[in-house]
Amino acid sequence: MNDSAPAPTPAPAPRRARLRAPELIGKGGWLNTGGKELTLSDLRGRITILDFWTFCCINCLHVLDELRELEEKHRDTVVIIGVHSPKFVHEAEHAAVVDAVERYEVHHPVLDDPELATWKQYAVRAWPTLVVIDPEGYIVAQHAGEGHAHAIARLVEELEAEHEAKGTLRRGDGPYVAPEPVATDLRFPGKALLLPSGNFLVSDSTRHQLVELAADGESVVRRIGSGERGFGADAFSEPQGLALLPDGRVVVADTVNHALRVLDLESGAVETVAGTGRQWWQGSPTSGPALDVDLSSPWDVAWWRGRVWIAMAGVHQLWTWDPEAGTVEVAAGTTNEGLHDGPAAEAWFAQPSGLAAAGDRLWIADSETSALRYVEPDGEGDGYVVKSAVGTGLFDFGHRDGDAAQALLQHPLGVTALPDGSVAVCDTYNHALRRYDPTTGQVSTLATDLREPSDAVLVGDDIVVVESARHRLTRLRLPEEAVRVDAVAHRTQRAATEVAPGTLRLDVVFQAPSGQKLDTRYGPSTRLLVSSTPPELLAAGDGAGTDLFREIALNPDVTEGVLHVSAMAASCDDDPDNEYPACHVHQQDWGVPVTVSAEGTARLALVLAGMDDRE
């Protein structure tokens, strides 16, 4: 080599075209802005984070909590905009969105987009999705799923420095205007429990308290908890499920604290018995000493077969807590989201949110599949099997009575065992109380005009329903005859993706956040799991692998269905001098409705983190 010759200048890498952020539009209008309609030009000079969410989605609720610290720390430079993009018909009702914004303490502007107009403009494919827009109005990042707060926080700091230097950063107060508070004894109560005294214990979720009501269901006897979100001896965070233990104490699903607490009814003392206060992530222990194992949004609890069973909504599983041994473990579910029956270890759930023990069956309100399901012993030892009584999958829902095989629910949150062996279902988004009779296999409607019923308890010949969105308990006489309603069936209004017949290239886009790299110290750091409903949709390409891309073959005899894609990637701080770098797991499950068409795409890109450079 001639040392005197100049080194060749490398060709500059092609620069990706900057993508201007589309305008924010939604027929429902704006919330938390004092009546002002916002445009992107109003946000120029600020870093804007769009949070595409829907209030039924547990992962969306996790992201709301993840963003709270970022929102507070960067309040003068960052504006978070919630873009409410409904899955269920009820979620397209403006009043329901208003309720949800208060219920989950959303302290930033929210665009109500009932027709998914902005969702489509931004080509969003999953709840939740976060899109970052720089102060000049260009999209700079997109993240699907949860667990991205650390990456977005780092990006925000980089954007602050960059645009401060350019003079394009504008600091100051954001557009959030808090709504006027409303005085009621309960505020979005979640679950209720009939106490031995005849009084009721209610989880007053939005006020982070437990409330004891007298036998009339109205008079407040006492409040337990400070009323401020926290994880101390006198604090809860959006508590939900309640169950009476054999020793007379009450176990509480302290949902957003990812913990189980136990209340001594006599002293009022509260202690933590399971969970660490941290959210469970893939790779974390799934069994062990209860106070050492992370949980994920426990939503309901029930005493059954000598243990407390936990509806672990955050990871689509059932867990158990053994008070005598002081241990927890997974009892059913794989963490994959969907409706799949069979042996407990192989079953799929979708945000189980209600439990009721009845003899040899544990009934489950599986909310995201709009299903009533149950667990029972498998008859072959100590194992269990999961079966479905009502419901078919993630995207079919409605209000239809009759034979269970064709009956429809809409996002039920509660189940109650009735004296005759049937089951009452709090059909939350249908504002109804439904009944399933295992003997006849028939579904009927017991009562309508209930506002988001989330739980019910038997009191003699009456049933007391938690009307969550009316902030009260409502007593009903159990009717002998069902109410007649016009049958309505729905599919999610989310548009199906047209895909070309034959081979489909599936790409999960993942770019490690700035300052991080894929964690390959212990082998592959990525995982991809693909399946479909119906299973016959895929002729080849289903199953698990470590690459974030896959060639899948579509069955020419099946023209529509749902692709289920689950992806995970682990990244760590890229610092060679740090022996123990901080690491993070990024994960998301997609259910993508597809129709096979000659005009369809031959490539399906799902963004886990980053930008799709092939768009």
Side-chain angles (χ1 to χ4, degrees):
M1 178 178 179
N2 186 345
D3 291 340
S4 62
T9 302
R15 185 167 182 172
R16 188 177 188 274
R18 301 177 75 194
L19 182 62
R20 175 70 70 175
E23 192 51 83
L24 306 176
I25 52 176
K27 278 197 171 181
W30 288 88
L31 288 73
N32 285 354
T33 63
K36 176 180 172 60
E37 292 197 4
L38 297 180
T39 65
L40 284 177
S41 62
D42 296 326
L43 304 173
R44 196 61 51 81
R46 311 294 290 271
I47 300 163
T48 302
I49 301 172
L50 304 182
D51 176 15
F52 289 87
W53 70 300
T54 187
F55 63 79
C56 72
C57 162
I58 189 67
N59 311 91
C60 300
L61 303 186
H62 289 167
V63 167
L64 285 175
D65 290 313
E66 288 177 3
L67 292 176
R68 294 187 198 279
E69 182 179 349
L70 174 74
E71 190 170 24
E72 183 59 36
K73 183 177 180 181
H74 298 275
R75 188 167 291 280
D76 65 334
T77 60
V78 171
V79 175
I80 296 176
I81 303 289
V83 182
H84 189 267
S85 311
K87 170 186 174 181
F88 291 99
V89 169
H90 171 59
E91 293 175 304
E93 298 175 13
H94 183 70
V97 181
V98 173
D99 284 346
V101 168
E102 179 188 351
R103 181 195 297 266
Y104 297 116
E105 297 183 301
V106 180
H107 293 163
H108 50 250
V110 173
L111 174 64
D112 180 9
D113 182 18
E115 297 179 347
L116 302 181
T118 296
W119 165 290
K120 295 170 187 173
Q121 288 278 72
Y122 281 81
V124 175
R125 295 187 183 275
W127 296 278
T129 291
L130 299 170
V131 176
V132 182
I133 303 171
D134 73 13
E136 295 179 287
Y138 291 95
I139 297 174
V140 293
Q142 181 172 328
H143 302 265
E146 50 184 301
H148 302 293
H150 66 284
I152 292 177
R154 183 156 189 161
L155 176 58
V156 163
E157 292 174 354
E158 293 174 357
L159 290 172
E160 285 177 340
E162 175 188 346
H163 289 274
E164 188 94 77
K166 291 174 64 176
T168 50
L169 185 70
R170 176 168 58 88
R171 295 180 180 270
D173 292 334
Y176 170 67
V177 178
E180 290 293 324
V182 182
T184 53
D185 286 333
L186 301 174
R187 206 69 192 161
F188 299 104
K191 305 289 185 181
L193 176 68
L194 181 64
L195 299 175
S197 65
N199 289 353
F200 297 94
L201 188 66
V202 182
S203 54
D204 197 19
S205 302
T206 297
R207 294 213 177 110
H208 315 296
Q209 289 182 317
L210 307 180
V211 179
E212 184 176 347
L213 300 178
D216 62 9
E218 297 179 8
S219 306
V220 175
V221 175
R222 60 172 168 165
R223 295 181 181 275
I224 300 159
S226 65
E228 298 293 328
R229 186 189 296 272
F231 192 35
D234 64 342
F236 300 93
S237 187
E238 298 181 31
Q240 285 285 342
L242 307 165
L244 198 64
L245 296 173
D247 63 9
R249 298 183 300 163
V250 175
V251 60
V252 182
D254 195 2
T255 303
V256 179
N257 277 328
H258 309 294
L260 296 188
R261 321 290 293 281
V262 164
L263 165 67
D264 186 305
L265 288 169
E266 291 189 7
S267 68
V270 176
E271 65 171 315
T272 302
V273 295
T276 63
R278 298 184 300 270
Q279 183 183 340
W280 184 94
W281 287 100
Q282 289 285 353
S284 301
T286 56
S287 64
L291 290 171
D292 296 337
V293 177
D294 300 337
L295 309 182
S296 183
S297 296
W299 206 274
D300 203 5
V301 283
W303 179 260
W304 187 57
R305 298 177 69 85
R307 297 187 179 190
V308 171
W309 287 67
I310 310 163
M312 202 72 77
V315 285
H316 317 300
Q317 291 180 311
L318 303 182
W319 288 40
T320 60
W321 168 55
D322 184 336
E324 289 192 11
T327 56
V328 293
E329 64 180 355
V330 174
T334 65
T335 76
N336 294 112
E337 183 178 13
L339 191 154
H340 179 71
D341 292 337
E346 301 171 12
W348 292 19
F349 297 95
Q351 217 168 296
S353 301
L355 300 175
D360 284 337
R361 284 185 178 176
L362 178 70
W363 293 97
I364 306 154
D366 200 29
S367 61
E368 278 295 287
T369 53
S370 297
L372 172 64
R373 307 175 72 185
Y374 59 92
V375 176
E376 64 181 6
D378 63 7
E380 300 178 0
D382 296 329
Y384 294 93
V385 64
V386 176
K387 297 180 181 179
S388 296
V390 182
T392 59
L394 286 165
F395 298 106
D396 292 293
F397 53 90
H399 191 153
R400 186 163 64 198
D401 290 331
D403 187 77
Q406 55 84 51
L408 294 171
L409 309 170
Q410 186 180 180
H411 197 80
L413 291 179
V415 282
T416 306
L418 299 180
D420 64 358
S422 65
V423 185
V425 181
C426 286
D427 194 5
T428 308
Y429 287 2
N430 280 328
H431 311 298
L433 188 67
R434 311 285 293 283
R435 175 178 178 265
Y436 168 70
D437 185 342
T439 303
T440 64
Q442 295 292 302
V443 175
S444 56
T445 298
L446 297 177
T448 58
D449 192 31
L450 300 166
R451 190 69 184 169
E452 292 192 17
S454 55
D455 197 20
V457 294
L458 285 174
V459 184
D461 293 330
D462 297 339
I463 189 165
V464 176
V465 180
V466 180
E467 280 199 89
S468 187
R470 283 199 177 115
H471 320 293
R472 70 188 189 191
L473 303 189
T474 298
R475 185 182 295 258
L476 304 171
R477 179 59 55 96
L478 273 174
E480 295 181 5
E481 293 185 1
V483 177
R484 293 190 180 275
V485 298
D486 292 329
V488 179
H490 299 290
R491 279 184 67 83
T492 178
Q493 63 176 326
R494 175 183 169 189
T497 300
E498 291 192 1
V499 296
T503 300
L504 177 68
R505 166 82 180 202
L506 174 65
D507 284 319
V508 173
V509 177
F510 177 76
Q511 297 160 358
S514 175
Q516 295 183 23
K517 64 179 181 179
L518 285 173
D519 179 17
T520 57
R521 293 172 297 167
Y522 309 109
S525 60
T526 56
R527 186 190 69 175
L528 180 65
L529 178 66
V530 180
S531 63
S532 67
T533 303
E536 295 78 20
L537 176 65
L538 293 181
D542 60 338
T546 57
D547 293 323
L548 291 181
F549 61 88
R550 183 84 55 87
E551 298 279 351
I552 60 179
L554 300 174
N555 185 341
D557 297 327
V558 181
T559 58
E560 65 177 8
V562 178
L563 286 176
H564 301 284
V565 181
S566 177
M568 183 193 75
S571 62
C572 294
D573 290 346
D574 188 9
D575 182 359
D577 296 328
N578 185 354
E579 186 178 356
Y580 303 105
C583 297
H584 307 275
V585 174
H586 316 258
Q587 63 184 60
Q588 172 64 10
D589 294 335
W590 291 267
V592 184
V594 297
T595 57
V596 180
S597 164
E599 293 76 34
T601 181
R603 176 178 179 263
L604 177 61
L606 303 174
V607 178
L608 178 60
M611 301 287 286
D612 181 13
D613 291 329
R614 292 180 58 183
E615 279 188 340

